[in-house]
Amino acid sequence: MDSILLTGIRCYAYIGFLPEEQVLGQWFEIDVKLWLDLSRPGKSDNIKDTIDYRQTVILIQNLVKTSKFALLERLAGAIADAILEDSLPITQVQVIVSKPTAPIADFNGTISIEMTRNKSSNK
């Protein structure tokens, strides 16, 4: 199956388990992989035969900016569900939500959640 990758979608949001995370906020980075049949646009060279990447990026940005979840897992699930509901041609989505500045003492790494959902499991 063909796929489209949208990476490095940065959003400032108020998501986190700690109360201060939901007040102060922090940066998140979202990567998504969208599975769909790209044979038609691959031949036609017509934008109408594929999805509008801008719409998907805006959907993700708006969802992240307006959410008040405690867990990254919940955010990743909400993004996956929203993409599958928004776009008929997309049959499966992989979402990676990364938190590059997690408030963990003596930890300078990145926390990431990876979730894959498809239309049949989303019903």
Side-chain angles (χ1 to χ4, degrees):
M1 179 59 69
D2 307 318
S3 63
I4 295 172
L5 298 171
L6 303 173
T7 61
I9 303 167
R10 293 198 54 185
C11 304
Y12 198 85
Y14 301 88
I15 295 167
F17 177 73
L18 300 174
E20 56 269 23
E21 292 178 286
Q22 294 190 5
V23 173
L24 300 174
Q26 59 198 302
W27 285 100
F28 294 85
E29 189 167 299
I30 316 298
D31 299 327
V32 296
K33 184 173 185 176
L34 313 169
W35 280 269
L36 66 158
D37 184 358
L38 296 173
S39 58
R40 190 169 178 184
K43 292 177 183 174
S44 72
D45 198 28
N46 188 333
I47 188 86
K48 292 179 183 178
D49 292 334
T50 190
I51 63 165
D52 185 343
Y53 322 139
R54 297 168 300 175
Q55 181 180 335
T56 304
V57 170
I58 290 168
L59 173 78
I60 293 167
Q61 289 171 329
N62 288 338
L63 181 64
V64 174
K65 290 175 186 177
T66 60
S67 295
K68 288 283 189 176
F69 303 130
L71 300 178
L72 293 180
E73 292 86 343
R74 177 67 182 102
L75 176 60
I79 292 169
D81 290 345
I83 291 171
L84 289 172
E85 289 172 18
D86 183 65
S87 183
L88 186 61
I90 297 172
T91 59
Q92 182 170 295
V93 61
Q94 177 187 59
V95 178
I96 301 173
V97 176
S98 298
K99 190 177 197 176
T101 56
I104 300 172
D106 300 321
F107 177 74
N108 292 322
T110 298
I111 307 261
S112 295
I113 300 296
E114 180 178 322
M115 186 176 289
T116 302
R117 296 289 181 264
N118 59 53
K119 285 241 164 99
S120 61
S121 70
N122 200 39
K123 294 178 182 176

